Amino acid sequence: AIYAMSDLDHDGRLSEPEFLCAMALAARRRKGAPLPEQLPLDLQEACWSMPSTHVEAATNQPDESLPLWQPNHEELSRFQQLFDQLQDHGFVSADRAREVLESSGLPLNDLAKIWDLADAGDDGKLSLGEFLCAMSLSARRREGRQLPQSLPDELLPCTRLRVQDKVEMQRYLAMFQEQVPRGSAMPAAKAAEILQMSELPPSDLAQIWNLSGGTDNLDSLQFLHAMALTARRREGQSLPA
């Protein structure tokens, strides 16, 4: 019922705004709200007013300015908000993740593969980073890309993401957006300047840079990962090996 209600153009697939509407309806239903007879107008306006990750939703074209599987910072923000609606004690259960992924309209064999790729901990639930992986894989597959055999390099930082809450993540994304034009990456010099403000030892900063996958610049996900690692290190936690 949710899928049919969200598929406003009745083409058998969900555009990005339609997909966001389906996710919102599913989240409301889990909280006990009855399903409406038709898609609420306020929900339509909210989903269609969000910045689109495509040039035009109907064309279903990927953003060629990013690495193949890399979510942009608008997608990261939306996926994080969805995670916040679904999570329980910092994880999304298999049942809730299945409901979200099935709303994409992808075949079940694709969804099973996405789950296997994203569930890096192989524990039957998704952390924030793993959920970001699953949503990015799902989004790219809906654009027509073939799923990879293993988790793409550009998504590996997701599986190690150590952001504690949505406020922290939104703060880092806002910082990135303030420093970098849309669709661009942050130059290494600027990223280094921000990281050095932490006053961590150079050896720690070098390790953080390597763990985040930094080269000549940082994309939004790499920056998010680097900032989270920096924050956890300043709290006294050890950096991952």
Side-chain angles (χ1 to χ4, degrees), residues 69-146:
W69 297 95
Q70 174 70 56
N72 61 40
H73 48 259
E74 284 110 352
E75 284 180 315
L76 286 172
S77 180
R78 284 197 297 274
F79 296 162
Q80 184 276 322
Q81 291 176 26
L82 182 56
F83 177 87
D84 190 54
Q85 294 178 356
L86 299 172
Q87 65 87 22
D88 184 23
H89 300 291
F91 292 91
V92 174
S93 68
D95 288 341
R96 289 190 171 183
R98 184 183 304 111
E99 183 177 351
V100 171
L101 292 173
E102 286 178 350
S103 296
S104 69
L106 292 174
L108 292 180
N109 59 325
D110 281 349
L111 299 182
K113 189 168 185 178
I114 288 170
W115 177 270
D116 288 341
L117 291 169
D119 185 18
D122 197 24
D123 54 5
K125 57 186 178 182
L126 299 181
S127 65
L128 171 59
E130 292 170 335
F131 183 78
L132 294 177
C133 285
M135 294 303 294
S136 182
L137 289 165
S138 176
R140 299 294 88 79
R141 182 68 183 107
R142 291 175 66 241
E143 293 171 352
R145 293 171 176 167
Q146 295 299 312

Side-chain angles (χ1 to χ4, degrees), residues 4 20 32 54 59 121 123 155 157 187 193 210 217 229:
L20 293 172
H54 311 301
T59 63
D123 54 5
L155 291 182
E193 178 184 337
N210 291 331
N217 50 49
L229 286 171

